Amino acid sequence: MLGRAITLVESGSPKHRLLARELLSAVAERTKADPVSMRVGITGVPGVGKSTFIESLGMELVEQGHRIAVLAVDPSSSVTGGSILGDKTRMIRLSAHDRAFVRPSPSAGTLGGVASRTRETILLCEAAGYDIVLVETVGVGQSETAVAEMTDCFLALMLPGAGDELQGIKRGLLELADVIAVNKADGETEDAATRAAAEYKGVVRSIASRDDGWEVPVLSCSAVTGVGLREVWNAVAERTTGLRESGELESRRAQQGTRWMRTMLEERIRTLVWEDRRIRSLWERIRARVRAAEMPPSVGVEELEAAIEERWNAHRSH
Ligand code: GDP
């Protein structure tokens, strides 16, 4: 049923959209009273060990009695044909477990569209009784921000490797991450992982601390041997429990919801404007003139704005 509900929400057909809207409204009524779930974002470059990590951790959590849903936001999948969870052989044990639900990334559409469907899928999973929702992403484009914007806690998995790699690490990512874990702390890469963790600690400390005083823990772990996984999960749980107890979780989710609505609305408005044939053809004409240096861009903007306003008023007077 959950799989079918998600397919319905992902569908683009107008008939399905109407039904999906009804379903989501009903689900919201049911879940809002009791937000017991934990939404955790997990990011890391391809090869860092995300699926191995989720499989090991997920198996441990389901054994403890949790019900886990694993979703993915993968903006590269529409181009490459699927890099996250595309391969059914990943997370074999977890996928087969009856308290786990593993869903690949919706494979088509813009990041905004994919993120919006994943967001709705989170709600459906929660309504279906999954108390932990893991949302996986690769650090491509804005996907990390999108996932951080739909989760309670954001975990960044890092490769062991120091020096140059540390220089290249995106500052933006460090600002988003609530917990950082250097994976592959085993065998030949164990020392490198420990060193990298120490260096990340220094970098994290140099970034201004969070408004809420949360100090980002930097840990090392091995998704293969399982060493350190519990500590990483404890840090994630500590973060979400803290947010829940201070009441921040609720306000954070509320804010994420309204921000997302605004983003989606702006996307729709843009589409509406660009799909207007008159605006479109005026744009073509003005663009040609600006290209030929017959009109300054600012004047072009003003003419287009006037045209948009005129169309808007015409709509309103109907
Ligand atoms: P993903 O692309 O981030 O999902 O990475 P995968 O989970 O597919 O792992 C990529 C490769 O790294 C695989 O060959 C894994 O076996 C290996 N790997 C993942 N975690 C670890 C780990 O903790 N230690 C070691 N040594 N290898 C790992």
Side-chain angles (χ1 to χ4, degrees):
M1 282 307 286
L2 177 57
R4 287 177 58 193
I6 295 173
T7 305
L8 180 70
V9 162
E10 286 177 352
S11 165
S13 102
K15 197 177 77 193
H16 291 160
R17 285 258 291 268
L18 202 66
L19 206 55
R21 199 151 64 188
E22 268 181 54
L23 177 65
L24 288 166
S25 306
V27 158
E29 275 301 311
R30 286 276 297 271
T31 52
K32 74 165 185 219
D34 191 19
V36 291
S37 68
M38 223 165 134
R39 304 172 183 169
V40 180
I42 300 182
T43 189
V45 295
V48 70
K50 291 181 297 300
S51 33
T52 315
F53 179 91
I54 293 172
E55 166 111 326
S56 305
L57 179 72
M59 285 309 289
E60 197 170 318
L61 294 170
V62 288
E63 296 306 336
Q64 287 171 18
H66 289 289
R67 299 186 72 211
I68 307 226
V70 182
L71 313 173
V73 171
D74 183 4
S76 63
S77 65
S78 44
V79 185
T80 61
S83 58
I84 288 191
L85 304 179
D87 183 353
K88 285 255 168 68
T89 61
R90 298 174 89 203
M91 303 182 203
I92 292 179
R93 286 185 305 145
L94 193 61
S95 312
H97 200 286
D98 60 7
R99 281 199 297 277
F101 178 82
V102 179
R103 178 88 182 179
S105 173
S107 59
T110 61
L111 174 60
V114 169
S116 124
R117 279 170 286 169
T118 306
R119 197 177 257 283
E120 288 165 347
T121 301
I122 291 176
L123 299 177
L124 294 175
C125 290
E126 289 172 350
Y130 291 88
D131 61 323
I132 297 176
V133 183
L134 304 178
V135 186
E136 180 188 1
T137 189
V138 286
V140 173
Q142 293 296 304
S143 69
E144 280 164 344
T145 314
V147 170
E149 272 287 312
M150 63 177 85
T151 50
D152 309 322
C153 180
F154 197 56
L155 167 66
L157 291 182
M158 300 294 189
L159 283 169
D164 292 351
E165 278 172 49
L166 276 178
Q167 302 302 315
I169 175 175
K170 292 176 287 176
R171 202 185 167 81
L173 171 60
L174 289 181
E175 280 163 1
L176 289 177
D178 296 297
V179 177
I180 294 174
V182 182
N183 191 34
K184 308 200 182 183
D186 53 54
E188 284 178 3
T189 45
E190 187 173 352
D191 289 345
T194 314
R195 274 200 310 276
E199 290 189 38
Y200 281 125
K201 256 180 217 161
V203 179
V204 166
R205 234 180 275 128
S206 72
I207 294 178
S209 69
R210 301 291 170 88
D211 301 343
D212 58 6
W214 171 253
E215 284 186 25
V216 177
V218 183
L219 306 157
S220 60
C221 66
S222 167
V224 166
T225 66
V227 169
L229 289 189
R230 183 166 303 214
E231 285 74 11
V232 173
W233 184 251
N234 285 347
V236 168
E238 192 190 327
R239 172 62 166 163
T240 44
T241 311
L243 289 173
R244 191 186 304 281
E245 283 170 0
S246 67
E248 242 176 289
L249 192 75
E250 228 172 314
S251 59
R252 194 177 144 119
R253 286 185 178 183
Q255 207 177 38
Q256 287 177 339
T258 52
R259 265 206 296 265
W260 170 59
M261 180 168 73
R262 194 186 169 114
T263 307
M264 292 311 290
L265 180 63
E266 281 171 358
E267 199 170 287
R268 294 279 164 84
I269 292 171
R270 233 185 339 255
T271 309
L272 277 179
V273 170
W274 285 118
E275 278 175 356
D276 186 286
R277 257 190 288 147
R278 265 202 246 173
I279 303 288
R280 192 86 212 177
S281 72
L282 183 63
W283 158 260
E284 307 283 352
R285 273 178 283 141
I286 288 181
R287 186 176 60 175
R289 298 194 58 201
V290 169
R291 268 205 184 138
E294 289 164 15
M295 183 190 273
S298 57
V299 176
V301 168
E302 270 168 37
E303 287 202 9
L304 281 159
E305 194 189 335
I308 291 168
E309 208 170 326
E310 195 182 305
R311 294 293 279 161
W312 171 246
N313 288 333
H315 278 302
R316 275 202 304 191
S317 60
H318 276 144

